[in-house]
Amino acid sequence: MERLTDKTEQNMKQNIFLFAATALTLLGLSSCNNEIDGNVNHDEQAQVGTTVRTIFSTETTPTTRATLMWHSGTDNKGAAVHWEVGDQIWVYESYGNRIVSTGSNITATQADAKFYFPWLFRANSYKVNYLGHPSNTDGKGVTIKGQVWQSYADQTDHLKYYGDCAEGTATKVNGKTGQYSVRFTHLPAFLNILPYSTNALIRGGMVLKKVVIKSSNPLTGVFPDVGSYGLDLGHATNTGKQIEIFLNNGNGFAVDNDQVNQWRNGIYCVMVPGWHDLTIEYYCTSPITSMPLKFTKTIAAQNYAPNTITNITADLSVMSFDYKYYMWDAQEDLFFQQAVNYGQYSLFPVPWPNSFSDSRYYNGPRVATAVKSAQSAPNVNQALWYAQSSPYIDKDIVWMHDGVIHQGGIWLRKLSVIAAERGVNTAERAPNGVDYRDPINALGAGAFNTDWHWNPPYGRPADIQNYIFLPAMGGYGFDAGIGRLGGDSGYWTSNYYVWGRTHIYSGCAYALTFKIGAGGLGLNNLWVSIPRVEHAAFPVFNAQ
């Protein structure tokens, strides 16, 4: 497919250049002789490997087409068309007969191209289609797909696999034997997503792993006959209202820029044109927190016309967490398949799981170490290192969850930093040298003590790069058959509380718990608790 090298960037909607494929040359043939037009040389014939009867020649005029490569700039200066090896075009000879080009002169990415057909065309005009990569078309239709993989930032080579297509009408050129000219126009609409972050606290090392685009109207679908009906939804099947864009094979694009930077992390997708009220979700990671971040941008309904690109800028600045509440090491979170969702969690209680047949129920009855949702959480020893390694309570920091603004959290020194400073393996021993994963150590001298509390100071660490942040998001507790959100913020560890030589399962698990301004003195409390697993639900975070 041809590459469009754009020379501009526009902040909102822009016409994507009219693609011009001109001088569509037709060679008249007799039954015995090749009557080759003077504009065609014998090398072109040899390249096709068959009798050349038609040549479609393209010009480098501003155009619409497939590979939409955008660069810096704010003025609309148009774009230049570039074709790529493997590009094909299809002539709509009749309803049941679509004729594909059998060769071209394309040897690399190039501005001009000629497409060859071993077919004698006679009509004054023909409809012509570009249908993307051959793997995405049967010569008649295309599929605008709901899962998209973009390997490199600021590149649009992938669009040919996910539904890009165009149409034009080829007309005879007066005075030229069998020559036609054609001008193509893109049929889909395109988004150019441009993330950045003005928050220096999270920007360093932040990575955007995935983008999800949602609309109340179809964004994707199978269009079985583009030549006849274009992208008319009335003739589409398997339509969908969501597009997932996976970046760099799941490794993501860096979002360490504090302003729009097209080459750094420009993202493109193709979608069904029309009216859409878009919700765009950005799934990120940042070394400042080991919890996933999700930023959400909503855009009021507007018309995304065919043959246009809309630039979507997004400042990923306020930490937006994508945490979920789990019973200890449950397979699914507390709100899984429930009538209420996280956006309503502060307003509505949630039905409480009460049996192992419910995938939201805790992992048990005799599981000492997590293997499901809490598998990557810190173990009890690491939780004690967190608690005793200069934590800070940050009561002023602002963060979001499902569009709701919250405040406050805790800064914990990274385990890797603690290990390097202390020369210890934080997973194997607690600060007092005891391994509390061993049930024998739950009793006797050095036994785990639920009265151990620490009072972290208010503030933010000076060496903040050596810390991770956890939001103060409370926890769910059991109350007469339902779960209600409480005030103490807890995070599960990966260890069940098992004690004694006979490995008595207590019905509890270890959790790192804190409370901001607890008690009449306003002291902050931090402790490793052992809540009952059937009565509590907390988020989890990855040990880091």
Side-chain angles (χ1 to χ4, degrees):
M1 113 187 99
E2 86 232 39
R3 180 189 305 270
L4 296 180
T5 304
D6 175 37
K7 303 172 185 171
T8 111
E9 175 182 270
Q10 181 181 354
N11 284 335
M12 271 310 288
K13 185 176 293 182
Q14 126 175 9
N15 283 333
I16 309 180
F17 15 78
L18 285 165
F19 162 66
T22 23
L24 200 158
T25 307
L26 177 66
L27 299 183
L29 300 180
S30 70
S31 60
C32 298
N33 298 311
N34 291 339
E35 299 176 5
I36 301 176
D37 186 274
N39 293 322
V40 181
N41 61 47
H42 292 276
D43 291 337
E44 290 173 339
Q45 273 193 290
Q47 181 179 345
V48 179
T50 185
T51 301
V52 178
R53 299 191 178 190
T54 307
I55 298 178
F56 289 56
S57 300
T58 67
E59 291 183 352
T60 55
T61 52
T63 178
T64 11
R65 274 273 284 109
T67 310
L68 315 170
M69 295 192 67
W70 291 80
H71 299 288
S72 61
T74 55
D75 299 326
N76 185 1
K77 300 175 184 175
V81 63
H82 294 275
W83 293 92
E84 295 178 331
V85 174
D87 281 350
Q88 294 178 323
I89 56 177
W90 296 76
V91 173
Y92 187 109
E93 196 273 335
S94 65
Y95 178 80
N97 192 21
R98 317 298 166 86
I99 305 166
V100 64
S101 56
T102 54
S104 75
N105 72 333
I106 304 171
T107 58
T109 299
Q110 58 193 62
D112 299 309
K114 297 180 179 181
F115 292 92
Y116 308 131
F117 289 77
W119 189 271
L120 180 60
F121 295 102
R122 299 184 184 277
N124 290 328
S125 64
Y126 293 94
K127 182 180 288 187
V128 185
N129 286 106
Y130 165 76
L131 298 173
H133 192 270
S135 65
N136 196 42
T137 182
D138 60 358
K140 295 180 66 176
V142 298
T143 299
I144 296 180
K145 298 180 181 179
Q147 287 196 330
V148 175
W149 295 82
Q150 181 175 334
S151 297
Y152 302 100
D154 193 26
Q155 187 184 82
T156 55
D157 289 349
H158 62 289
L159 297 179
K160 60 188 174 185
Y161 297 99
Y162 299 109
D164 188 18
C165 55
E167 70 177 10
T169 300
T171 57
K172 279 187 176 181
V173 177
N174 290 333
K176 296 288 184 178
T177 302
Q179 292 187 14
Y180 292 75
S181 64
V182 59
R183 185 175 294 266
F184 281 88
T185 302
H186 272 293
L187 295 177
F190 300 85
L191 297 184
N192 179 203
I193 298 170
L194 302 165
Y196 65 100
S197 177
T198 56
N199 185 348
L201 187 63
I202 63 173
R203 186 173 64 238
M206 185 159 71
V207 175
L208 175 59
K209 297 294 188 73
K210 180 177 74 169
V211 175
V212 177
I213 303 165
K214 300 177 181 179
S215 173
S216 59
N217 292 320
L219 293 168
T220 65
V222 177
F223 298 87
D225 192 343
V226 174
S228 297
Y229 307 110
L231 299 182
D232 182 0
L233 285 168
H235 293 88
T237 61
N238 299 323
T239 59
K241 299 179 180 181
Q242 175 174 301
I243 297 173
E244 289 183 284
I245 308 172
F246 300 91
L247 305 173
N248 188 19
N249 295 318
N251 296 312
F253 294 165
V255 187
D256 50 7
N257 46 308
D258 62 358
Q259 56 188 330
V260 170
N261 190 329
Q262 180 77 36
W263 70 266
R264 186 66 170 157
N265 47 37
I267 301 163
Y268 295 88
C269 79
V270 55
M271 68 180 190
V272 175
W275 283 85
H276 296 289
D277 49 346
L278 296 180
T279 298
I280 305 179
E281 299 169 347
Y282 303 80
Y283 291 83
C284 299
T285 62
S286 170
I288 210 67
T289 177
S290 64
M291 300 185 70
L293 299 173
K294 184 180 80 171
F295 302 86
T296 302
K297 181 183 181 78
T298 57
I299 302 172
Q302 66 181 59
N303 184 31
Y304 296 84
N307 196 46
T308 62
I309 291 179
T310 302
N311 286 2
I312 307 292
T313 61
D315 183 3
L316 312 182
S317 57
V318 178
M319 279 194 291
S320 300
F321 290 96
D322 191 31
Y323 60 76
K324 298 178 180 180
Y325 297 91
Y326 294 87
M327 297 182 76
W328 183 77
D329 200 34
Q331 182 69 42
E332 305 290 351
D333 69 280
L334 199 60
F335 284 79
F336 179 68
Q337 294 183 343
Q338 300 304 302
V340 295
N341 57 44
Y342 281 110
Q344 303 168 310
Y345 75 89
S346 62
L347 302 176
F348 299 96
V350 61
W352 199 258
N354 56 19
S355 74
F356 291 112
S357 62
D358 191 329
S359 61
R360 301 177 300 143
Y361 204 51
Y362 76 92
N363 192 13
R366 297 180 64 83
V367 177
T369 304
V371 294
K372 297 179 181 177
S373 58
Q375 183 176 12
S376 298
N379 66 30
V380 57
N381 297 328
Q382 292 169 323
L384 289 165
W385 277 108
Y386 279 132
Q388 298 177 62
S389 300
S390 303
Y392 290 85
I393 293 292
D394 192 335
K395 62 182 178 64
D396 299 318
I397 193 168
V398 174
W399 51 275
M400 298 182 71
H401 181 254
D402 265 9
V404 180
I405 295 178
H406 303 270
Q407 191 168 336
I410 190 169
W411 293 95
L412 301 175
R413 200 158 186 81
K414 292 180 180 178
L415 295 173
S416 58
V417 175
I418 297 170
E421 292 173 339
R422 306 288 185 91
V424 296
N425 185 326
T426 59
E428 293 183 354
R429 293 286 187 276
N432 63 358
V434 177
D435 183 0
Y436 289 106
R437 297 171 301 171
D438 187 342
I440 299 300
N441 294 329
L443 301 174
F448 181 82
N449 192 331
T450 56
D451 291 330
W452 291 336
H453 284 68
W454 295 269
N455 305 114
Y458 287 110
R460 192 172 292 180
D463 57 339
I464 202 164
Q465 73 278 6
N466 292 327
Y467 281 75
I468 59 172
F469 175 77
L470 300 180
M473 25 40 67
Y476 270 86
F478 176 80
D479 181 13
I482 56 176
R484 296 186 185 277
L485 189 64
D488 293 351
S489 294
Y491 290 86
W492 289 120
T493 73
S494 59
N495 295 124
Y496 201 89
Y497 180 45
V498 185
W499 53 275
R501 295 186 182 278
T502 57
H503 290 202
I504 298 174
Y505 285 75
S506 63
C508 303
Y510 296 101
L512 183 63
T513 311
F514 67 94
K515 190 170 186 177
I516 300 175
L521 299 177
L523 294 175
N524 301 313
N525 271 340
L526 173 63
W527 69 104
V528 177
S529 62
I530 48 172
R532 293 195 64 80
V533 291
E534 72 269 33
H535 288 166
F538 296 125
V540 294
F541 70 97
N542 294 335
Q544 178 178 331

